Amino acid sequence: MTSRTATATGAIAILLWSTLALFTAMSGRVPPFQLVGMTFVIGGVLVLAIAAVRGRLHLARPTPASFLLGLYGPFGDTALYYAAVKTAPAAEANLIHYLWPLLIVLFAALLPGGGLKARHLVGALIGLAATALLISGSLGSGAGIQLGHILAALGAFVWASYSVLSRRFAGVPSESLAITMLGCAIPAFACHLAFETTLWAPSAVEWGGVLGLGLGSIGLAFICWDIGMKKGDVAFLGVASYAAPVLSTVILVIAGYAPASWLLALSCVLIVVGALVASFGPAARGAEPKAAKG
């Protein structure tokens, strides 16, 4: 696979993630841990099927370390994100969670040889300002800081730290994500049985959300991003990922899951501006890739 093809494959993940908030909102009453388990089973089976069709099923075994990292990153972040969107206004939780590209820039800069620059700090402050703007809107409406806001921020941290650490496993085949996804479903269902009540009969819309997440936002997106990070133009994909919060917010508004407002639009713009400020610069464009997303 050429670098250009791998980059285009990674870009598919960005488009798929723009539907993440919509499908999560569509899943409605499905409890967060049940949703994690269902979507990871669907995604894992999909990736296994793709590997089998391509004659690469023998590459689906992860290393113990990459499997544990998958439990921390994909499982931890997905569970936090689903819970966040279900316990706070979907658009607000979604935008707060999309601080992860900015956090990746900051974490990667702190690695040996990375170097923390003034633009990193400026970008981080702009991103924090966007988050504060969203929270202030909730405070002004009387809703206050909600659990979903905190969960979304934790999810951003988990995904960013996982992304930076995953550079250590660039040699692990992307097909191994299939077993990792199926493995992630086990603690998800265990937590579901321990803490939640099973929803046995989701509606058609809720099933649509579950299938959209499992097939697209989890299954295809994870493996497409993994290919892009390992073989494509990481710098380009990193910058391109900042389009995801804009697209996802627009989709939420169009679908009627979030009201259009100047506060939401301004926060969205600030998050993108902050990420671009932190990413661009001589060091950013010429630096060796340091981060991957799972």
Side-chain angles (χ1 to χ4, degrees), residues 183-279:
C184 288
I186 296 174
F189 283 127
C191 290
H192 165 65
L193 293 174
F195 305 115
E196 298 174 339
T197 300
T198 302
L199 177 67
W200 294 105
S203 67
V205 172
E206 289 167 340
W207 268 116
V210 171
L211 291 174
L213 288 168
L215 296 174
S217 307
I218 300 298
L220 283 179
F222 276 15
I223 196 167
C224 285
W225 188 258
D226 193 67
I227 291 170
M229 289 291 99
K230 291 177 178 177
K231 300 179 181 179
D233 186 335
V234 176
F236 172 81
L237 288 172
V239 173
S241 66
Y242 305 137
V246 179
L247 294 173
S248 60
T249 302
V250 170
I251 290 173
L252 281 174
V253 172
I254 292 175
Y257 284 94
S261 70
W262 69 269
L263 190 66
L264 195 63
L266 181 57
S267 298
C268 194
V269 170
L270 283 176
I271 285 176
V272 174
V273 169
L276 291 176
V277 168
S279 297

Side-chain angles (χ1 to χ4, degrees), residues 1 32 46 48 54 61 79 83 109 111 125 186 203 208 230 235 249 253 274 279 294:
M1 180 179 293
L46 174 65
L48 275 179
R54 299 182 65 211
R61 179 182 297 177
L111 290 174
L125 289 175
I186 296 174
S203 67
K230 291 177 178 177
T249 302
V253 172
S279 297

Side-chain angles (χ1 to χ4, degrees), residues 15 21 37 39 66 92 97 100 105 113 119 121 134 145 149 160 164 170 183 186 193 228 233-234 243 256 260 278 289:
L15 294 177
T39 54
S66 68
E92 295 180 12
H97 181 261
W100 64 257
V105 173
R119 58 184 167 79
L121 296 177
L134 282 173
I145 297 178
H149 295 140
V164 174
I186 296 174
L193 293 174
D233 186 335
V234 176

